[in-house]
Amino acid sequence: MNKTNRILWGIVLIAAGVVVALNVIGVADIDLFFDGWWTLFIIIPCAVGLFTERSKTGNLTGLALGVLLLLCCQNVLSFSMLWKLLIPLFLVVAGVKLLFGSLFRNQGVVLYNRMRQEGHVFKDGTAVFSGCEMKVSGEEFVGGELNAVFGGLDCDLREAIIPQDCAIRATAVFGGIDLRLPPNVNVKVSSTSIFGGVDNVVKNTDGAVTVYVTATCLFGGIDIQ
């Protein structure tokens, strides 16, 4: 968890603790279980993700959906109206994604596709409903695809030889991926996250090769160190 993430979640937890304490000592009478209180489990993580994730699309979608559900629970909107709004909401999100995706090309995706087309040998790892360990030691690594679906994947590249910029495509769906890199590389992350996220603690240095990580997280997380 990076510094910004820790600060924001710390503020959320402190605020929740203060509200509970005020209720207990009788200073305030705040109804913690108001109509639609459960939507906060959608709204808060997505709101935090807007400040901690580079890619905003997934978090904006989740935040909008959470707010609409809360308004329905508060009888501001009807659930029948919500279903009618969902289609235009996702159309707008998809349009924004396509628009900005074409304006700002993801360098990691471009590199990944080019190296695949050139016939480079990629090293892939997959964990589905299980745990999996993948280690590359003393071998050249130019890229790969990592997938964790209802499972955990530990990819250890600390002893791998990375002679040039490489690209990794990582997907975590109700699972987690731990990516361990050698100390002499830079990392650039582009992520699309819904109820999940990427935690990158690698400190970039001048002159090092770059590992481009294109991540997709759905109720999952990716740790890069």
Side-chain angles (χ1 to χ4, degrees):
M1 184 179 289
N2 58 38
K3 184 177 180 181
T4 304
N5 218 330
R6 290 197 301 269
I7 292 173
L8 291 175
W9 277 112
I11 293 173
V12 170
L13 293 175
I14 291 172
V18 169
V19 169
V20 172
L22 292 175
N23 281 351
V24 170
I25 63 179
V27 174
D29 185 17
I30 301 174
D31 186 7
L32 297 177
F33 297 100
F34 55 88
D35 292 339
W37 63 271
W38 51 271
T39 60
L40 295 180
F41 288 101
I42 301 175
I43 295 172
I44 293 176
C46 290
V48 172
L50 288 176
F51 297 94
T52 58
E53 295 290 333
R54 173 176 290 185
S55 177
K56 312 297 184 185
T57 307
N59 289 303
L60 281 172
T61 304
L63 180 61
L65 180 59
V67 170
L68 288 174
L69 288 170
L70 178 59
L71 292 176
C72 289
C73 293
Q74 293 290 321
N75 295 320
V76 177
L77 294 175
S78 65
F79 280 98
S80 61
M81 178 64 71
L82 173 62
W83 300 123
K84 295 177 182 178
L85 289 174
L86 283 181
I87 294 178
L89 170 64
F90 285 111
L91 287 175
V92 170
V93 170
V96 171
K97 185 72 173 179
L98 289 173
L99 175 63
F100 287 97
S102 62
L103 292 177
F104 305 99
R105 299 186 68 190
N106 183 342
Q107 190 172 354
V109 173
V110 174
L111 178 62
Y112 181 94
N113 293 334
R114 178 171 62 81
M115 297 186 79
R116 282 283 193 189
Q117 293 172 356
E118 292 175 354
H120 291 276
V121 179
F122 277 20
K123 293 179 170 60
D124 302 332
T126 301
V128 180
F129 290 98
S130 64
C132 179
E133 293 185 2
M134 170 186 170
K135 184 172 183 178
V136 180
S137 177
E139 300 180 53
E140 186 174 291
F141 181 84
V142 296
E145 185 170 356
L146 309 177
N147 297 295
V149 182
F150 290 95
L153 174 62
D154 186 354
C155 179
D156 189 350
L157 303 179
R158 289 175 293 182
E159 298 178 6
I161 300 171
I162 304 179
Q164 59 183 331
D165 291 352
C166 67
I168 296 174
R169 181 175 293 173
T171 302
V173 180
F174 290 95
I177 297 175
D178 289 326
L179 176 59
R180 308 174 195 275
L181 297 171
N184 59 335
V185 300
N186 293 332
V187 176
K188 290 188 177 181
V189 178
S190 176
S191 65
T192 300
S193 303
I194 300 177
F195 309 128
V198 180
D199 186 10
N200 174 29
V201 298
V202 175
K203 295 183 178 180
N204 292 341
T205 58
D206 294 333
V209 298
T210 300
V211 177
Y212 292 91
V213 180
T214 303
T216 301
C217 301
L218 175 61
F219 291 93
I222 299 174
D223 290 326
I224 305 173
Q225 52 187 301

